[in-house]
Amino acid sequence: MALFGEKYGDAVRVIKFGDSVELCGGIHVPSTGKIGIFKITSEAAVAAGIRRIEAITGPSAERYFKEKAATLDQLSAMLKNPQNIQKSVLDLIEKNNELTKSLEQFQREKSKAIKAVLSTKISTKDGNIQFLGEIVDLDSDSVKDILFQLKSETDNFVGVIGNKDGAKCTLSLIISENLVKDKGWDASKLIRSAAQHIQGGGGGQNFFATAGGKLP
C-alpha cells in the first residue's frame, strides 16, 4: 500500500516496532547502543508543523568532535592559552566593538571637516548653478551623506565627488530636484556617461547616481 502519493519500487522494506508497522525509508540498527556518538548538525522547518533534524553518528561524529577539539586548541594557542577561552574571546569582541565605535566617530569627524572644506569650494556656473566637483579621501557612504547635506543646504546644487579605494574608484553625482525638473537633467544618464572615463559603469535615480570604475 502506498501512502500520501509517495512512489515505491516493486519491493519495499517494512519495519515493525511493537504493534507499529512502518514503511522504511532509511537505515536501521538492531539496538540504539550501536549508534554510538550522536550529534545533531541541523534543524529546520520543512512544512507546517513539521521539522527536520539531521545528525551524524559513529566515525563521522568522532571526526567532527576531533576537528572541533583541534580548532579549540588552535584558538587557545592564538590567545596564548588563557584559563578561560570564552572570557578571552568575549573580551576581544568587546574591544573590537569599542574600536569600531571609535573609528566610526573618527570617520564622522573627518566627514564633518571635509564637508566644511567642500562648502567653500562651491562655485557658480551658468548664472545660478551652484557646482561642486572634487576628489576626496572618504568612503562612498560618507560621500553620499555629504552630498545630500550640501544639496539640502544649497539651492540649484550640482555636486560630483570622486573617491578612491585602492585600485578602484567611485563617482557620486547629485542634482537638486528643481534642476532635474526644469532642465530635464538625469543623474543616472550623466553618471553612465562619466563612468566611461574610469572604465566602469553605474546608475541610480534622476537626482542621485553613482558609478564604480577601475581607473582612478
Side-chain angles (χ1 to χ4, degrees), residues 159-207:
V160 57
I161 293 180
N163 61 300
K164 302 176 183 179
D165 183 12
K168 298 181 180 180
C169 58
T170 302
L171 286 171
S172 301
L173 171 64
I174 200 165
I175 304 174
S176 292
E177 281 83 352
N178 64 297
L179 296 177
V180 171
K181 180 180 179 181
D182 297 341
K183 296 183 176 293
W185 290 347
D186 188 328
S188 63
K189 292 180 179 179
L190 290 169
I191 205 71
R192 281 195 291 270
S193 177
Q196 299 175 19
H197 299 286
I198 57 171
Q199 293 184 3
Q205 299 166 288
N206 56 8
F207 64 91

Side-chain angles (χ1 to χ4, degrees), residues 91-117:
D91 288 343
L92 280 176
I93 293 174
E94 184 176 351
K95 290 179 181 178
N96 181 69
N97 290 337
E98 292 175 356
L99 287 173
T100 299
K101 290 179 181 179
S102 297
L103 183 60
E104 290 174 349
Q105 178 63 31
F106 172 78
Q107 194 72 8
R108 284 193 293 270
E109 294 297 328
K110 182 180 179 181
S111 297
K112 185 177 180 180
I114 289 178
K115 180 202 167 188
V117 173

